[in-house]
Amino acid sequence: MNLCSPSVVRRLMEEEGISFRKDFGQNFLIDPFVPERIAASCADRSDMLVLEIGPGIGCLTQQLAERFERVLAIEIDRGLIPVLGKTLAEYDHVRVVNADVMEVDLPALIAEEAGGREVAVCANLPYYITTPILMRLLECGVRFSSITVMVQNEVASRLAAKPGASDYGAITAVIGYYGTVKKLFTVSPGCFMPAPKVSSAVIRIDLYREPLYQPKDEAFFLRVIRAAFGMRRKTLVNALGALGEGYSKELLSEAVLACGFPATVRGERLSTEDFVHLSDYLWEHKA
Ligand code: SAM
């Protein structure tokens, strides 16, 4: 069954009496080269568990099933579960779970499935919730080896931006704490049904096996990044005013200078490592 054929997608959905759910960000891939390429980019070894978020009708899932020892697919839309029952029937090593990835106990599910295997994530993410899903994956306590996802092109550029670039933002600095990001390739709207308004891109995040940075207080480090980008047109010193009591303007200027930047610098010039130094300095010198 060619799951990338628009007529097959329509027939499968009609058979179950379902239609595309905009509220779940459903844009299914209909260009067969794209799921193939995503699956081939997501891990170098086959003896892995791959977690897929949002299998839809299963076109990427099939490609993953052909390449990897185990696949765990989490789909929020109950209406798609019988469709996946048909399209993935021949793959015993694929488990589909009907759940919201933002709610489900990921560490427990993955522990049940992994059996000691390394775990990678691979998904064509629903665009309405891309950043929360990425943050959940990074913070859920499971040590993924990599996360390969399709996101809006603009988001991909932001995630892969270098310090100083116009699209470098809080999420870029935060992701840099967990691993390195590479933009792999772009995908045009015509490769999806229904076609989204914007183009998309696939990125791969290779996660550090051991933490590369160890801020003195992780929650404070993340708070400093959020504050630094809270008011984009302000200088870093002014934006960090949002940290509130205990962080006088003098201390903030002193901290920025101590990290090797002029007092007029803006947050987007600082790398993840710079933010570690900055937050450590502030943590140690708080009034
Ligand atoms: N993988 C399919 C493909 O590439 O054609 C579908 C991708 S579509 C962009 C996003 C998928 O994520 C949909 O199947 C949607 O129902 C599912 N989804 C949306 N929100 C979700 C959530 N919170 N948890 C799990 N799945 C979700």
Side-chain angles (χ1 to χ4, degrees):
M1 201 177 334
N2 174 10
L3 297 186
C4 287
S5 148
S7 57
V8 172
V9 177
R10 252 182 248 111
R11 178 173 55 74
L12 283 166
M13 295 182 75
E14 273 165 22
E15 277 171 11
E16 297 305 325
I18 56 173
S19 43
F20 291 102
R21 301 255 328 233
K22 222 175 168 178
D23 55 335
F24 287 154
Q26 291 180 352
N27 301 95
F28 295 165
L29 279 165
I30 49 163
D31 180 330
F33 295 111
V34 180
E36 242 185 88
R37 200 165 166 199
I38 301 175
S41 312
C42 88
D44 311 319
R45 293 165 38 178
S46 61
D47 59 343
M48 299 190 66
L49 166 67
V50 176
L51 167 68
E52 186 190 4
I53 296 148
I57 63 158
C59 67
L60 175 59
T61 327
Q62 282 191 344
Q63 292 298 325
L64 296 171
E66 293 291 341
R67 285 175 172 77
F68 298 101
E69 269 186 12
R70 292 208 70 79
V71 178
L72 170 64
I74 301 177
E75 173 56 60
I76 196 172
D77 185 354
R78 198 178 332 140
L80 287 169
I81 302 303
V83 179
L84 289 163
K86 290 180 195 166
T87 59
L88 302 173
E90 67 184 277
Y91 301 105
D92 292 339
H93 59 298
V94 176
R95 177 175 168 200
V96 176
V97 174
N98 178 209
D100 180 344
V101 72
M102 298 304 291
E103 304 279 333
V104 76
D105 184 346
L106 277 177
L109 252 187
I110 287 166
E112 276 171 31
E113 289 301 309
R117 292 175 185 84
E118 276 197 39
V119 191
V121 177
C122 188
N124 170 14
L125 286 181
Y127 293 168
Y128 76 103
I129 196 178
T130 303
T131 305
I133 291 180
L134 283 177
M135 289 317 298
R136 176 149 171 75
L137 292 170
L138 294 169
E139 290 172 348
C140 74
V142 177
R143 198 177 283 181
F144 298 110
S145 53
S146 63
I147 299 176
T148 304
V149 283
M150 175 127 67
V151 298
Q152 284 185 28
N153 192 24
E154 192 189 312
V155 176
S157 300
R158 180 176 287 280
L159 294 172
K162 298 279 175 259
S166 61
D167 40 14
Y168 185 87
I171 184 74
T172 327
V174 170
I175 297 255
Y177 175 51
Y178 296 98
T180 55
V181 184
K182 226 192 247 157
K183 191 167 163 180
L184 302 182
F185 55 93
T186 53
V187 179
S188 65
C191 296
F192 301 86
M193 186 166 93
K197 290 201 175 67
V198 292
S199 59
S200 307
V202 176
I203 57 156
R204 174 164 156 162
I205 309 172
D206 283 296
L207 297 157
Y208 299 128
R209 281 179 181 272
E210 299 299 330
L212 191 62
Y213 308 113
Q214 282 166 323
K216 294 197 184 309
D217 185 278
E218 187 184 80
F220 181 66
F221 159 72
L222 296 171
R223 213 176 117 207
V224 168
I225 293 180
R226 270 198 306 276
F229 291 93
M231 287 172 265
R232 258 186 106 74
R233 262 171 226 98
K234 287 201 176 188
T235 62
L236 178 59
V237 169
N238 283 339
L240 290 176
L243 290 173
E245 234 175 272
Y247 303 98
S248 66
K249 198 151 181 186
E250 292 67 42
L251 171 58
L252 296 173
S253 302
E254 187 187 298
V256 169
L257 290 171
C259 292
F261 291 96
T264 51
V265 76
R266 291 178 202 279
E268 53 265 37
R269 297 217 69 88
L270 274 69
S271 66
T272 303
E273 186 174 7
D274 296 326
F275 276 112
V276 174
H277 294 149
L278 180 67
S279 66
D280 282 355
Y281 189 97
L282 291 170
W283 184 252
E284 281 169 350
H285 293 82
K286 181 182 187 261

